[in-house]
Amino acid sequence: PRGYFCPRICSTPIPCPPGTYQDRMGQDVCLPCLAGYFCRGLSYLTNSSSLFKDRADGGAQQCPSGFYCLVRSKYPEPCKAGFFNPQILSKN
């Protein structure tokens, strides 16, 4: 499923690690999270009903307003003191 990878032949898909995502099915690697997005990784999922579910976003979430997200962001970073960016998908 999207949000997971399976190197070579594997019986169980592996969640993409933090800072990466995969928005296509059947891939053998995860991709670096793009600037403007954050990717927590799917290893935080512990509820068995959430495991191995297809993720349309591949594990990448839009950076919210008031924050910025660089390449490979695991979490959105708040804007520096005295600054605010009202836009989503902010890279700085």
Side-chain angles (χ1 to χ4, degrees), residues 14 22 25 51:
I14 302 166
Q22 182 48 263
M25 292 188 185
L51 291 174

Side-chain angles (χ1 to χ4, degrees), residues 3-74:
Y4 295 82
F5 71 107
C6 199
R8 302 184 195 215
I9 297 174
C10 66
S11 57
T12 305
I14 302 166
C16 287
T20 67
Y21 77 105
Q22 182 48 263
D23 59 352
R24 293 174 46 205
M25 292 188 185
Q27 301 302 303
D28 59 355
V29 297
C30 293
L31 305 171
C33 199
L34 301 172
Y37 292 84
F38 68 99
C39 303
R40 291 177 51 192
L42 299 180
S43 56
Y44 69 92
L45 296 174
T46 55
N47 180 340
S48 61
S49 66
S50 297
L51 291 174
F52 310 121
K53 281 181 108 175
D54 185 41
R55 297 278 310 251
D57 63 9
Q61 298 174 287
Q62 292 182 347
C63 202
S65 62
F67 294 81
Y68 66 97
C69 299
L70 303 175
V71 172
R72 291 190 180 269
S73 288
K74 297 172 184 132

